Amino acid sequence: PAPDRNPDEVTVDDMKKALDDPKLGIKVIDVREPDEYQIARITGVPLYPLSLLPQRFTELDPNQQLYIHCKSGVRSMKALRYLREQGFKYVKSVKGGIAAWSDQIDHSVPKY
């Protein structure tokens, strides 16, 4: 693995695999705000805004693997730390967020 790789991060390629193969049992969530979700979103990824995570994290399974994405990877790391504090064990932040997804996976997703 590359030396600059953070063990708490996965790539957009990893996220695509998780979305393409439900048998992996990985849930992908988006922690951006609703106005951003209106501009650009990834099909099949539900919105759990970071601002509402304290009210909504109980909807998530603490034993399920979670990949969290935001716009660039900053808020998803905050969400990761928050969920870890709540006892979630298998949480990863998607490096580069939806901007990297747009660059590397799906060019039809708008950048903003």
Side-chain angles (χ1 to χ4, degrees):
D4 61 347
R5 193 161 168 147
N6 181 328
D8 287 337
E9 286 182 326
V10 292
T11 65
V12 287
D13 291 311
D14 296 325
M15 176 163 105
K16 182 171 190 329
K17 286 188 195 105
L19 291 168
D20 287 348
D21 188 357
K23 289 195 299 295
L24 294 172
I26 301 166
K27 184 178 179 77
V28 181
I29 64 169
D30 181 342
V31 294
R32 299 171 305 141
E33 294 305 311
D35 57 325
E36 296 174 272
Y37 192 73
Q38 292 307 317
I39 301 166
R41 61 182 167 270
I42 299 164
T43 309
V45 179
L47 186 65
Y48 286 85
L50 185 60
S51 59
L52 298 176
L53 207 53
Q55 289 88 48
R56 293 194 56 199
F57 77 88
T58 53
E59 297 168 31
L60 299 165
D61 178 351
N63 295 309
Q64 182 172 29
Q65 276 204 309
L66 285 178
Y67 287 178
I68 308 168
H69 89 80
C70 60
K71 183 177 177 181
S72 64
V74 176
R75 282 172 287 176
S76 51
M77 284 304 270
K78 285 187 178 149
L80 174 142
R81 285 194 287 270
Y82 177 78
L83 289 171
R84 285 251 168 96
E85 286 164 11
Q86 312 311 315
F88 284 70
K89 296 178 188 67
Y90 313 107
V91 194
K92 300 277 187 191
S93 167
V94 179
K95 189 178 172 79
I98 201 166
W101 180 271
S102 176
D103 283 341
Q104 297 170 39
I105 308 284
D106 183 353
H107 301 299
S108 74
V109 172
K111 294 181 79 170
Y112 63 94

